[in-house]
Amino acid sequence: MPDCDLCQAIDPSVGDCTLQRHLHPGQQRILASNEHAAAVPTIGAFAPGYLLVVPATHVLSLGQLSNDELEGVDDLARELADQLHQVYRQPILSFEYGLNLPAARRIGHGHLHMLPSTADLGEWIAQRVPGYEIASYTQVPREADTSYITVRDQTGTLTCYPVPNDASPRIRLRELVARLDPRIEDTAWDWEAHPFPELMRATVDDLTIVKPPTRRPAAAFGAGAHR
């Protein structure tokens, strides 16, 4: 999709894009990648180490990907969790709002949020929306008329919360994380109003000077809680 900011952000052949303009000249925006996905710093990085894992295929949500593509997203996310913990020495939180309603969000390319944070996002949602544990992203709802929220908490538990496509009011996950993480100002969640370019640039520097660790199955997402 030539007019999609995230498609441009993960395309190494694109020299100038919205994301690149927030970085210093010469800074690389693609911090890790595999056949199916790439990781980039997010505009609105209200905490150091805040990344988006973006599938190579333009879809509204991760649930619209094939199993192979979802496994690629999961593999990359697990590797990044290890690297983020190595650099920031904090537990890692991941989440997605799998909104399958066209034109209902500012960014229409599904993506997974990852950041070092102690915010107990899963507990907040669990008190309000019924959910169930899943083993991997391949088990998220796949129907186009169903949306969902996933949270992989700081222990590595992955939970799915089905929600209506037209849920109102819609749960704003970034806003919740900002409220639940004591380091972050409550109003900092809106990425357009608060892009935090200095934290985006610091994240790139932090993650490009440290060599990614060798994959250690099952250790990644629980690292902050158990080491």
Side-chain angles (χ1 to χ4, degrees):
M1 297 288 288
D3 59 345
C4 171
D5 285 343
L6 287 185
C7 283
Q8 294 176 15
I10 64 170
D11 185 346
S13 71
V14 175
D16 178 60
C17 64
T18 301
L19 175 57
Q20 192 67 45
R21 293 177 207 130
H22 287 280
L23 304 179
H24 289 308
Q27 276 193 310
Q28 65 184 67
R29 62 181 185 269
I30 300 174
L31 299 175
S33 65
N34 61 23
E35 179 184 359
H36 299 297
V40 294
T42 183
I43 299 173
F46 51 49
Y50 194 159
L51 303 178
L52 299 183
V53 178
V54 183
T57 303
H58 183 89
V59 288
L60 288 174
S61 70
L62 299 187
Q64 294 184 359
L65 298 171
S66 69
N67 278 357
D68 284 348
E69 290 172 316
L70 282 168
E71 288 171 0
V73 169
D74 203 25
D75 286 345
L76 186 59
R78 290 180 180 276
E79 292 167 5
L80 286 165
D82 249 357
Q83 187 180 3
L84 288 169
H85 176 68
Q86 178 188 4
V87 173
Y88 297 103
R89 309 309 298 179
Q90 295 184 47
I92 308 305
L93 172 69
S94 301
F95 59 90
E96 182 207 5
Y97 198 122
L99 181 60
N100 288 317
L101 190 63
R105 63 197 314 170
R106 288 177 285 182
I107 297 294
H109 187 138
H111 51 278
L112 178 68
H113 298 252
M114 295 187 68
L115 73 158
S117 176
T118 58
D120 198 350
L121 179 63
E123 177 62 22
W124 190 97
I125 296 174
Q127 292 179 6
R128 296 158 176 84
V129 181
Y132 51 90
E133 289 187 20
I134 55 177
S136 75
Y137 292 109
T138 61
Q139 295 175 299
V140 298
R142 313 301 284 273
E143 301 82 10
D145 61 350
T146 301
S147 294
Y148 62 86
I149 292 168
T150 59
V151 177
R152 184 169 249 149
D153 68 17
Q154 292 85 347
T155 71
T157 301
L158 180 60
T159 306
C160 180
Y161 305 91
V163 293
N165 278 2
D166 57 353
S168 181
R170 198 171 82 215
I171 297 173
R172 296 188 180 276
L173 301 180
R174 276 177 51 89
E175 184 175 6
L176 282 173
V177 173
R179 284 170 45 193
L180 295 169
D181 190 319
R183 303 171 299 165
I184 302 165
E185 293 290 335
D186 290 359
T187 58
W189 66 273
D190 191 315
W191 56 269
E192 287 185 312
H194 305 283
F196 293 106
E198 70 286 352
L199 289 179
M200 296 170 62
R201 297 164 189 159
T203 294
V204 171
D205 289 341
D206 291 343
L207 297 178
T208 52
I209 62 174
V210 176
K211 184 179 179 181
T214 302
R215 173 78 179 274
R216 296 193 298 277
F221 288 91
H226 301 302
R227 294 182 189 174

